[in-house]
Amino acid sequence: MGKGRRSWLPLVAVAMMFLHVNLINGEDPYRFYTWNVTYGDIYPVGVKQQGILINGQFPGPPIECVTNDNLIINVFNNLNEPFLISWNGVEQRRNSWQDGVYGTTCPIPPGGNFTYVLQVKDQIGSFYYFPSLAFHKAAGGFGSINIASRSVIPVPFPPPAGEFSILTGDWFKQNHSDLKAILDGGHDVPFPDGLLINGRGSNGYTFTVDQGKTYRFRISNVGLTTSINFRIQGHKMMVVEVEGTHTVQNTYDSLDIHLGQSYSVLLTADQPAQDYYIVVSTRFTSQVLTATSTLRYSNSAGSVSGPPPGGPTTEIAWSLNQARSLRRNLSASGPRPNPQGSYHYGLINTTRTIRLVNSAPIINGKQRYAINSVSFVPADTPLKLADHFNIPGVFTLGSIPDSPTGSGAYLQTSVMAADFRAYTEVIFQNLEDSVQSYHIDGHHFFVVGMGGGEWTPASRLTYNLRDTISRSTVQVYPDSWTALYIPLDNVGMWNIRSQNWARQYLGQQFYLRVYSPANSWRDEYPIPSNALLCGRASTR
């Protein structure tokens, strides 16, 4: 597993291949990876399935890196269909070319390869990568991304004795191609068949700790459709980081983790020496799925005993109160030496308010999902390439409104225009009876408020304008709203999507084009020399 395969290419050759990164970030370290993507047999819920493996592994190999590292990831696609990898929470500063979603990047063709060149610029924290095309995420191909702080930057807790990454979420017995066919036929996917912890069902994984020591667990919900609750029998968990933000170190018995979200917790092995259950269970579902792993003390005197500890099931208020309790650690340094709280986000005037309402319309007799009545359909050419080459007819700016119109739902390649360095208020309004989860590529945002019912301007009186967390994925509870402040400080074409992968696939997403007229490397890197070209850009 480790930190990837080091290349013996001379740095000069790398500089020639990846000029635009080196010129600006030439002194930052490089980490080289070679990934072979293949199909393979997996048995995560007891039945044989066709999984997507990276270097023969399910889940894929972890990426362990440090703030500002350059990652050179050469991906060989040995599948029989196009493939893309995206990097959930990695901001791709000035570099949406590497974002790895179809709106920005041409897929890697079968038998082909593509080298991602990306930098974890000014970031720390816990994230993950995943396959973004088709419904490949239902077959695997995901793995953890852990970005450590540079050694000169203090971390607001003592170094743990060890770290564990946990990739968990719901899973289906059907192969990804069968699930995709269900969605293409105009239907929603069925209820999932189980939950996984690091690619295995119940009792499939053991985490060994030494009594009296403290460990860091980095936990991501990489599932397709379901929020989960995470807990460890007999132990408290101290939350210390949420998607790159050091938090006030509150202690919890269990933790709700919504689709696409990542947390770091500290656990001290301070209980009698034996084995304990690690439990994940579904949230807000009438049928509750549960999976377990084992926390084993190295001097354990006994196996797990009693039933796994229960957790919350459908209680929304409980989850909302927990979400509101997450606070930014104002005295901690982020990826830079200045305290995180030195950015007084609540004192900056927003210049625009965007209200986004999700819906589940039937269009042309088929189930679709929409935002502000627009159900996204992919274009024949990545939007970023069409924008760069000025190819007409691929998309239209303003093809999704800033606010709900109340009109009937329709299909459209929806792209919203935005100005570089604007400071924007975004309201996610959920009028449905299911929890939603949203992600914004290329940015972090401040979660300033959550509340029930419909948002109104008076809702601003409840905002936390001092010490809320910033993150890249946020939940919206049923018949509720969530409000964000977002600095649009990253030029590019950025995906805003539901993290419920069936809803994303059937249209609950759009792209935000953050534009700078300067046409300068200071604002955005040029198109990579190795960029794949496809669609109407294939002859450019």
Side-chain angles (χ1 to χ4, degrees):
M1 307 276 277
K3 296 185 177 180
R5 198 170 96 182
R6 295 277 179 175
S7 171
W8 296 101
L9 286 173
L11 189 57
V12 172
V14 176
M16 292 175 64
M17 292 172 62
F18 311 118
L19 182 62
H20 70 269
V21 172
N22 274 302
L23 285 177
I24 299 173
N25 305 303
E27 296 183 358
D28 293 312
Y30 280 76
R31 296 178 188 268
F32 295 87
Y33 301 81
T34 299
W35 285 357
N36 290 298
V37 180
T38 60
Y39 289 125
D41 292 339
I42 57 174
Y43 301 82
V45 287
V47 298
K48 180 179 175 180
Q49 293 178 260
Q50 184 188 64
I52 292 178
L53 313 180
I54 299 179
N55 293 351
Q57 300 175 38
F58 168 70
I63 293 176
E64 305 280 353
C65 56
V66 178
T67 301
N68 293 345
D69 279 358
N70 294 291
L71 309 181
I72 313 300
I73 306 170
N74 193 1
V75 178
F76 289 86
N77 177 18
N78 296 302
L79 308 182
N80 59 2
E81 55 187 328
F83 184 76
L84 269 178
I85 291 181
S86 191
W87 322 89
N88 201 75
V90 176
E91 292 182 7
Q92 311 287 2
R93 307 299 303 174
R94 294 179 281 180
N95 201 14
S96 66
W97 305 105
Q98 308 291 341
D99 200 32
V101 290
Y102 181 66
T104 62
T105 312
C106 289
I108 307 170
N113 80 293
F114 177 72
T115 301
Y116 289 90
V117 183
L118 53 100
Q119 186 185 30
V120 289
K121 177 68 175 170
D122 292 336
Q123 287 192 266
I124 61 164
S126 310
F127 309 97
Y128 65 91
Y129 62 85
F130 69 98
S132 63
L133 209 60
F135 215 63
H136 289 155
K137 192 179 180 187
F142 46 75
S144 59
I145 303 173
N146 300 327
I147 309 173
S149 294
R150 292 184 296 142
S151 59
V152 296
I153 306 298
V155 175
F157 49 86
E163 291 193 1
F164 301 101
S165 292
I166 292 182
L167 302 172
T168 184
D170 57 4
W171 192 262
F172 294 82
K173 290 181 179 178
Q174 294 104 314
N175 285 335
H176 69 94
S177 54
D178 296 332
L179 293 170
K180 179 177 176 294
I182 292 172
L183 294 169
D184 289 340
H187 307 284
D188 200 358
V189 294
F191 189 73
D193 295 295
L195 298 177
L196 302 186
I197 298 174
N198 287 357
R200 304 177 187 177
S202 279
N203 307 315
Y205 213 92
T206 298
F207 301 86
T208 301
V209 297
D210 292 336
Q211 192 171 29
K213 294 183 179 180
T214 297
Y215 295 83
R216 181 175 186 168
F217 285 78
R218 300 177 184 260
I219 314 154
S220 296
N221 183 347
V222 298
L224 298 166
T225 64
T226 314
S227 299
I228 62 164
N229 181 267
F230 180 90
R231 51 199 181 272
I232 300 179
Q233 183 184 26
H235 292 74
K236 304 282 189 180
M237 297 178 292
M238 178 185 291
V239 174
V240 294
E241 175 254 329
V242 176
E243 293 166 23
T245 298
H246 289 308
T247 63
V248 171
Q249 295 173 6
N250 294 329
T251 300
Y252 301 90
D253 292 318
S254 71
L255 189 63
D256 275 358
I257 306 176
H258 302 276
L259 287 164
Q261 293 184 339
S262 299
Y263 288 80
S264 281
V265 302
L266 295 182
L267 175 141
T268 300
D270 56 4
Q271 298 301 304
Q274 63 177 64
D275 296 352
Y276 297 88
Y277 284 112
I278 296 174
V279 186
V280 292
S281 58
T282 56
R283 287 288 267 128
F284 319 114
T285 57
S286 55
Q287 175 188 351
V288 178
L289 299 176
T290 300
T292 61
S293 285
T294 301
L295 181 76
R296 173 164 295 160
Y297 282 49
S298 58
N299 59 338
S300 175
S303 59
V304 291
S305 60
T313 54
T314 60
E315 302 88 347
I316 292 173
W318 184 97
S319 188
L320 175 61
N321 288 335
Q322 183 178 86
R324 287 173 170 165
S325 73
L326 297 171
R327 291 286 192 266
R328 170 181 295 261
N329 187 337
L330 295 180
S331 63
S333 295
R336 296 173 298 278
N338 56 303
Q340 293 185 127
S342 64
Y343 184 13
H344 299 295
Y345 68 92
L347 301 179
I348 303 171
N349 291 327
T350 57
T351 56
R352 178 181 181 185
T353 296
I354 299 171
R355 291 174 52 230
L356 303 171
V357 177
N358 51 275
S359 59
I362 303 296
I363 302 178
N364 299 328
K366 292 185 176 183
Q367 178 68 66
R368 297 287 302 184
Y369 297 97
I371 299 175
N372 287 359
S373 299
V374 187
S375 185
F376 182 86
V377 289
D380 60 7
T381 304
L383 309 179
K384 181 63 182 171
L385 293 180
D387 200 27
H388 174 75
F389 291 118
N390 296 313
I391 302 172
V394 176
F395 71 90
T396 302
L397 286 175
S399 44
I400 179 171
D402 276 22
S403 299
T405 62
S407 63
Y410 57 96
L411 303 174
Q412 180 69 264
T413 304
S414 38
V415 180
M416 184 180 289
D419 293 329
F420 182 41
R421 297 200 176 101
Y423 193 62
T424 301
E425 178 185 42
V426 177
I427 315 297
F428 287 112
Q429 178 73 61
N430 179 16
L431 302 180
E432 298 183 66
D433 61 1
S434 58
V435 175
Q436 306 294 312
S437 184
Y438 285 98
H439 179 82
I440 300 179
D441 276 352
H443 295 81
H444 66 275
F445 47 73
F446 301 92
V447 185
V448 293
M450 294 179 174
E454 287 204 48
W455 180 91
T456 69
S459 303
R460 295 183 177 121
L461 298 175
T462 68
Y463 284 4
N464 175 359
L465 299 180
R466 180 178 180 271
D467 65 348
T468 192
I469 56 170
S470 62
R471 63 189 315 168
S472 59
T473 302
V474 72
Q475 72 272 25
V476 192
Y477 294 101
D479 190 28
S480 298
W481 54 268
T482 295
L484 322 172
Y485 281 178
I486 177 169
L488 297 177
D489 56 0
N490 199 7
V491 172
M493 186 76 70
W494 303 109
N495 190 222
I496 298 180
R497 62 175 176 267
S498 171
Q499 294 283 55
N500 180 312
W501 218 240
R503 297 183 75 110
Q504 176 273 153
Y505 182 79
L506 291 180
Q508 194 171 317
Q509 61 170 310
F510 68 95
Y511 282 82
L512 186 72
R513 178 186 183 254
V514 180
Y515 176 70
S516 168
N519 192 26
S520 166
W521 283 24
R522 179 194 64 195
D523 296 341
E524 184 178 29
Y525 292 142
I527 185 170
S529 58
N530 68 328
L532 298 175
L533 301 179
C534 57
R536 290 187 242 176
S538 58
T539 58
R540 302 299 175 116

